[in-house]
Amino acid sequence: MIRRSRGFAAIESLLALPVVLFAGLSVLQFGLVLHARQAVQHSATEGVRSGAVGHAAPAAIEGGFARGLSPWLFGAEGPADHVAAIARTQAHLVSGKAAGWVRWRQLSPTRLSFDDWAVPTLDEQGLPVPDSLEIPTDNLVARTLRSDPRIGASSGQTLADANLLKVELTYGVPLTVPLAGRLGAWVMRIIDGCGPVSERRLGALSLGQPEVSTAPRPWTCPYYDARDPDGRATPRWPVRVSSTARLQQPARHAGSAVEAPALGPAGALGTGAVEERPVQPSRPDQTNPQGSTVSTESAGGRGDGFLQLGGQTSWPAPGVCVAP
């Protein structure tokens, strides 16, 4: 009986080992995709930060993408390596855009935002620049109070909403774990309706004939069918993130006008709202009702631990020289 039990245990272990191995490989692949998603999110954040100080120019945004993604792709051990890694990442993103597994779009401000809020661009001398418009970033409250209506008729945005740069980045993370990556891509191709449905076999084991997808997502197919520079099939997992930053320089480049319902959680900024609240200036005596005296501003009038620079110094009248 003992020998028979040992035989059954060996058979059970042999049958369970492939399942446990596949589960472990799947967890590993899932962890790698999550780790890559953090890098892609950081890349999107760097992209909007760069675009916020670069007039929302596509070149500035893509340069931010490269700076944010280069540590994950190539790393660096010094300044020279960092510059080389950024250049390699830019080439990587260009090839990815050409292959279809790197995509990005500007969700705000759009052309509709420019229709509502754009003003002529002024040069350093204050003269209009021909054929150039921008969305102003200064005196937003005063501009909003003077505008009628306060919500853009075309974009549905307020001027403050139009000053938010929002970018959506979709990057294909390579599925490099053996067995789990390719099998996951095969399952997702079926779910998203990519190409004809065929039977899949795992050695002598048939995985069956799956049903045709009833809700296809054709935009994901270039990711599952991606290939490396040598032409070998390298399936990728699409990771879509978005990031928003307030513009520090006027936007001079508009993104595509997109429909919010088709984007899901990474959609447009939505319809703006204006709070009707009159602005009342504060009286000086209400701002500082106790006034200011020498005793209250001197270092001797403060308790222990209070640091004040210059409050205890008596300054001479202007133009009077004091001998050392």
Side-chain angles (χ1 to χ4, degrees), residues 188-216:
M188 292 307 301
R189 291 184 81 258
I190 298 172
I191 295 176
D192 291 337
C194 299
V197 178
S198 59
E199 181 185 8
R200 185 77 173 184
R201 302 186 66 86
L202 186 60
L205 178 63
S206 174
L207 300 180
Q209 184 82 8
E211 298 180 359
V212 179
S213 174
T214 57

Side-chain angles (χ1 to χ4, degrees), residues 82 89 103 127 137 176 210 220 223 313:
H82 177 64
T89 305
R103 299 177 183 177
L127 300 177
T137 57
T176 56
T220 62
Y223 297 88
T313 306

Side-chain angles (χ1 to χ4, degrees), residues 287-311:
T287 303
N288 189 10
Q290 301 297 329
S292 176
T293 63
V294 177
S295 61
T296 58
E297 293 299 322
S298 64
R302 304 295 184 180
D304 296 337
F306 185 89
L307 176 61
Q308 182 178 6
L309 300 179

Side-chain angles (χ1 to χ4, degrees), residues 50-78:
S50 181
V53 296
H55 300 290
I61 296 174
E62 291 183 352
F65 289 157
R67 287 194 303 273
L69 204 61
S70 62
W72 174 67
L73 285 176
F74 304 108
E77 297 181 358

Side-chain angles (χ1 to χ4, degrees), residues 32-48 61 64-73 89 92-93 101-104 167-174 223 236-243:
L32 292 176
V33 172
L34 286 182
H35 178 256
R37 188 187 187 282
Q38 298 298 322
V40 176
Q41 182 64 67
H42 176 66
S43 176
T45 302
E46 288 296 316
V48 294
I61 296 174
F65 289 157
R67 287 194 303 273
L69 204 61
S70 62
W72 174 67
L73 285 176
T89 305
H92 173 79
L93 293 177
W101 45 265
V102 173
R103 299 177 183 177
W104 75 274
V167 169
E168 177 190 85
L169 173 63
T170 307
Y171 179 85
V173 179
Y223 297 88
R236 292 175 175 266
W237 191 277
V239 172
R240 186 171 66 176
V241 299
S242 63
S243 186

Side-chain angles (χ1 to χ4, degrees), residues 7 15 24-25 35 39 49 78 96 106 114 120 130 140-141 161 210 228 249 288 306 308 314:
L15 294 176
L25 293 176
H35 178 256
R49 287 177 177 175
Q106 181 177 314
F114 275 76
L140 298 185
V141 176
D161 292 334
D228 62 10
Q249 290 184 338
N288 189 10
F306 185 89
Q308 182 178 6
S314 58

Side-chain angles (χ1 to χ4, degrees), residues 75-239:
E77 297 181 358
D81 291 343
H82 177 64
V83 174
I86 292 178
R88 293 177 61 188
T89 305
Q90 289 176 334
H92 173 79
L93 293 177
V94 169
S95 63
K97 288 176 61 179
W101 45 265
V102 173
R103 299 177 183 177
W104 75 274
R105 55 179 174 176
Q106 181 177 314
L107 303 180
S108 178
T110 64
R111 292 185 177 88
L112 300 179
S113 306
F114 275 76
D115 293 341
D116 292 331
W117 300 107
V119 298
T121 302
L122 303 180
D123 59 14
E124 296 179 355
Q125 285 73 33
L127 300 177
V129 178
D131 301 327
S132 180
L133 298 176
E134 65 182 20
I135 297 179
T137 57
D138 61 328
N139 301 321
L140 298 185
V141 176
R143 292 178 185 272
T144 302
L145 292 177
R146 290 197 304 265
S147 64
D148 187 24
R150 300 183 185 180
I151 298 179
S154 300
S155 63
Q157 293 179 328
T158 64
L159 180 57
D161 292 334
N163 268 269
L164 294 177
L165 175 62
K166 183 171 185 179
V167 169
E168 177 190 85
L169 173 63
T170 307
Y171 179 85
V173 179
L175 302 176
T176 56
V177 177
L179 184 62
R182 294 185 177 274
L183 186 58
W186 174 73
V187 172
M188 292 307 301
R189 291 184 81 258
I190 298 172
I191 295 176
D192 291 337
C194 299
V197 178
S198 59
E199 181 185 8
R200 185 77 173 184
R201 302 186 66 86
L202 186 60
L205 178 63
S206 174
L207 300 180
Q209 184 82 8
E211 298 180 359
V212 179
S213 174
T214 57
R217 297 191 304 168
W219 67 270
T220 62
C221 299
Y223 297 88
Y224 307 133
D225 298 333
R227 294 184 176 274
D228 62 10
D230 297 330
R232 294 173 297 185
T234 306
R236 292 175 175 266
W237 191 277
V239 172

